[in-house]
Amino acid sequence: MDDTYVGSIDQGTTGTRFIVFDHGGEVVANAYEKHEQIYPEPGWVEHNPVEIWENTQAVVTRALDDAGLDADQLAGIGITNQRETTVVWDAESGRPIHNALVWQDRRTTDRVEELEDAGRAEDIRAKTGLEVDAYFSATKTEWLLDNAEPLKLQSSRSQDLRDRARDGELLMGTIDSWLIYNLTGEHVTDVTNASRTMLFDIHEMEWDDELLSEFNVPREMLPEVRPSSDEDYYGHTDAEGFLGAEVPVAGALGDQQAALFGQTCFDAGDAKNTYGTGSFYLMNTGNEVVESEHGLLTTVGFQMSGEPVQYALEGSIFVTGAAIEWLEDVDLIDNAAQTAELARSVDSTDGVYMVPAFTGLGAPHWDGRARGTIVGMTRGTKKEHIVRATLESIAYQTRDIAEAMEADSGVETTSLRVDGGAVKNNFLCQLQADILGTEIARPVVDETTALGSAYAAGLAVGYWDTIEELRSNWQIDREFEAEMDSEDADRMYGRWDDAVERSLDWAQEE
């Protein structure tokens, strides 16, 4: 065991990371590469899948080289990925027919409203656990098949994209599928990623014919759905390929489920919140599908080989860390680390609220036409107030979700496990504990998303034998207890609703 490791490809919204973990769940190698964010029109967001695959090869090679490791020392590879982001590619050449449509992309909002007006939302939610929203892969796949430039075919016959998809010439997948295909040649996805497409029935655990017909997506183009930790493996890397070794690819989880797994939230009632570009609050609900009455998503948490599926409730917040990036974009701060110091330099926001609805609002509001709003400014408002209001907005959005979770599940959250880039900010963690009135637990290894997919792959290949071993790896870095008077927290949170109200349904013409 001493000289073998498990690798995790963590393909996120802004970049791709490869991390190698040892048996204790400690990081032994790490490399990262950003990719381009493409904004062809307002509300449209794309990535180049070829660039993502090239970056993946680059970070895997670089991390191993930097740590002086051979690919042969990898017992297995797991994958975690930005969810819902959708790629359609040519099966023979492996070339995408168009850029990937990113989860944040709002171009199919009209189609979503059409489905709502036709009374289809309830039916879709009952099968998929999802709100009808442009966020998910179904309307993205439909758009690609309707609008992508047909590939220049070798032969003279030009066929429409759907015919080619029906003939098995075009494949569809989320980013996990795209990477597994390029690594192993197999067309596979895992249950968590499938559950985010809006084409998958989470009760029957299979692609749904009615949904495929609604979105006119041919079944032939869809990947095979497998457990998140798969003892049968998804495939092996090619000994002749860039790694020069045959390594099993045996685990995959969408990034938020991977963080749930990496935080060892294996029991019903365990909850975690990840603060990345957006924030994603998940609670394990065990083998039971809990339907949400409060705007949350019901989703697949994970599935281990040969075991029943574990479900989760999820609150998806579209913009949290990205709001801090925005402060940088408009020159209110020089870097993210400055936010704490600026926010601390004032006692309050002086009544300023910032609603970071830059790409609409997710749970529990689900308004694709909401837009970013700052309210309550006076001539005395300084940048410090706006920076503090931005950090507070992250805490308020999380409380929106926490309250919905408690209402849906009947489980009161006493401790919330947190991870992601923004939790390095102690001011934010303390603020979050205060606004929630709940203990916040930050683990030592904050790369819990990558760790989760490493755990899934490692369990599948026998690198770890039991989940108990993983639990004993989990160590707390710091706990934050609520210090603010709960009446003060409630009063601050009370006005948040008024601010959100003003951001709703703003974008009329997109």
Side-chain angles (χ1 to χ4, degrees):
M1 278 299 191
D2 291 349
D3 63 343
T4 59
Y5 306 93
V6 176
S8 172
I9 296 168
D10 179 355
Q11 204 301 298
T13 308
T14 49
T16 308
R17 190 179 291 284
F18 183 65
I19 302 189
V20 179
F21 293 97
D22 67 11
H23 211 258
E26 300 284 335
V27 175
V28 293
N30 187 345
Y32 178 75
E33 193 72 52
K34 272 189 160 175
H35 59 259
E36 188 189 353
Q37 306 294 315
I38 303 161
Y39 306 107
E41 292 188 31
W44 293 29
V45 192
E46 298 179 1
H47 293 158
N48 176 351
V50 176
E51 181 189 9
I52 286 177
W53 169 236
E54 287 170 354
N55 286 357
T56 301
Q57 296 171 79
V59 293
V60 171
T61 312
R62 192 163 77 235
L64 293 173
D65 287 352
D66 289 354
L69 298 175
D70 277 336
D72 288 327
Q73 291 174 265
L74 295 175
I77 292 176
I79 291 173
T80 178
N81 55 290
Q82 49 167 324
R83 302 172 307 170
E84 299 96 16
T85 298
T86 307
V87 190
V88 174
W89 68 94
D90 179 272
E92 196 176 345
S93 69
R95 301 290 296 176
I97 62 169
H98 189 277
N99 278 336
L101 304 196
V102 178
W103 58 273
Q104 298 158 315
D105 188 284
R106 308 305 306 171
R107 77 186 64 186
T108 57
T109 298
D110 288 348
R111 172 68 169 119
V112 163
E113 289 170 352
E114 215 176 273
L115 289 163
E116 285 168 341
D117 295 344
R120 295 285 290 122
E122 274 308 308
D123 208 23
I124 292 173
R125 189 192 294 118
K127 285 182 175 180
T128 64
L130 307 175
E131 293 285 330
V132 175
D133 196 83
Y135 175 30
F136 305 107
S137 314
T139 58
K140 297 183 194 303
T141 310
E142 182 181 44
W143 188 94
L144 285 166
L145 291 175
D146 286 338
N147 297 287
E149 283 296 305
L151 285 173
K152 301 285 176 278
L153 295 171
Q154 300 306 317
S155 61
S156 55
R157 66 195 176 96
S158 93
Q159 269 185 304
D160 110 316
L161 294 176
R162 275 201 180 74
D163 289 343
R164 300 199 56 220
R166 270 186 207 98
D167 292 344
E169 292 178 23
L170 295 184
L171 304 177
M172 168 270 178
T174 40
I175 295 289
D176 57 309
S177 293
W178 168 244
L179 293 178
I180 292 168
Y181 186 81
N182 280 291
L183 286 163
T184 68
E186 302 294 331
H187 189 213
V188 170
T189 190
D190 95 294
V191 289
T192 67
N193 280 295
S195 78
R196 310 297 294 191
T197 57
M198 218 160 73
L199 298 168
F200 189 76
D201 184 324
I202 61 170
H203 308 272
E204 301 297 330
M205 293 305 288
E206 60 188 26
W207 300 116
D208 183 82
D209 287 327
E210 277 181 20
L211 293 172
L212 296 181
S213 144
E214 172 74 67
F215 296 104
N216 201 358
V217 173
R219 180 183 278 270
E220 291 76 7
M221 72 187 305
L222 297 172
E224 182 192 347
V225 184
R226 305 274 284 273
S228 320
S229 173
D230 192 355
E231 288 169 5
D232 293 334
Y233 306 171
Y234 306 143
H236 289 81
T237 59
D238 184 356
E240 308 297 307
F242 80 101
L243 262 184
E246 272 197 35
V247 182
V249 180
L253 294 138
D255 52 12
Q256 303 313 323
Q257 285 93 336
L260 189 74
F261 207 80
Q263 288 270 32
T264 65
C265 295
F266 298 135
D267 297 327
D270 289 349
K272 71 90 201 171
N273 195 21
T274 299
Y275 299 77
T277 303
S279 278
F280 298 85
Y281 189 133
L282 271 74
M283 178 190 276
N284 184 331
T285 61
N287 304 133
E288 184 191 353
V289 176
V290 177
E291 312 264 332
S292 176
E293 308 280 308
H294 299 87
L296 301 178
L297 306 176
T298 304
T299 198
V300 172
F302 54 85
Q303 183 184 21
M304 318 267 272
S305 263
E307 290 187 21
V309 172
Q310 298 246 29
Y311 292 95
L313 276 172
E314 171 173 333
S316 317
I317 305 169
F318 294 158
V319 172
T320 53
I324 294 171
E325 284 173 19
W326 175 80
L327 292 173
E328 223 174 310
D329 294 343
V330 296
D331 291 337
L332 286 173
I333 58 172
D334 298 326
N335 56 59
Q338 245 192 322
T339 54
E341 159 201 349
L342 286 167
R344 265 199 200 96
S345 72
V346 286
D347 292 335
S348 73
T349 66
D350 262 2
V352 174
Y353 282 76
M354 195 272 209
V355 182
F358 301 138
T359 54
L361 284 173
H365 311 284
W366 295 106
D367 183 346
R369 294 183 184 277
R371 286 298 176 264
T373 310
I374 300 176
V375 293
M377 291 192 290
T378 64
R379 270 301 272 116
T381 300
K382 301 205 289 278
K383 74 174 178 184
E384 288 82 351
H385 298 116
I386 293 172
V387 169
R388 186 174 179 125
T390 303
L391 290 180
E392 286 187 4
S393 78
I394 296 176
Y396 296 140
Q397 290 183 99
T398 302
R399 178 159 165 180
D400 283 345
I401 304 294
E403 296 201 342
M405 282 277 171
E406 288 186 10
D408 277 334
S409 67
V411 178
E412 191 186 344
T413 307
T414 51
S415 174
L416 180 63
R417 297 184 169 193
V418 300
D419 55 73
V423 305
K424 293 182 176 71
N425 184 327
N426 289 338
F427 179 84
L428 175 63
C429 288
Q430 185 57 53
L431 181 68
Q432 188 67 86
D434 288 339
I435 298 295
L436 279 181
T438 294
E439 175 191 270
I440 297 292
R442 181 174 69 194
V444 174
V445 176
D446 59 0
E447 294 291 354
T448 47
T449 304
L451 186 57
S453 73
Y455 279 166
L459 284 167
V461 300
Y463 186 76
W464 289 285
D465 292 325
T466 66
I467 58 173
E468 291 314 317
E469 285 179 76
L470 310 182
R471 278 201 178 98
S472 62
N473 282 346
W474 192 79
Q475 311 271 317
I476 285 183
D477 168 53
R478 183 166 167 192
E479 286 176 309
F480 297 84
E481 304 279 346
E483 290 169 359
M484 187 185 286
D485 185 68
S486 65
E487 281 177 16
D488 290 342
D490 291 347
R491 185 176 40 76
M492 289 163 64
Y493 177 63
R495 291 239 61 191
W496 165 250
D497 276 344
D498 302 336
V500 168
E501 202 54 44
R502 285 161 170 74
S503 75
L504 299 177
D505 201 29
W506 183 262
Q508 299 294 333
E509 293 309 313
E510 282 178 20

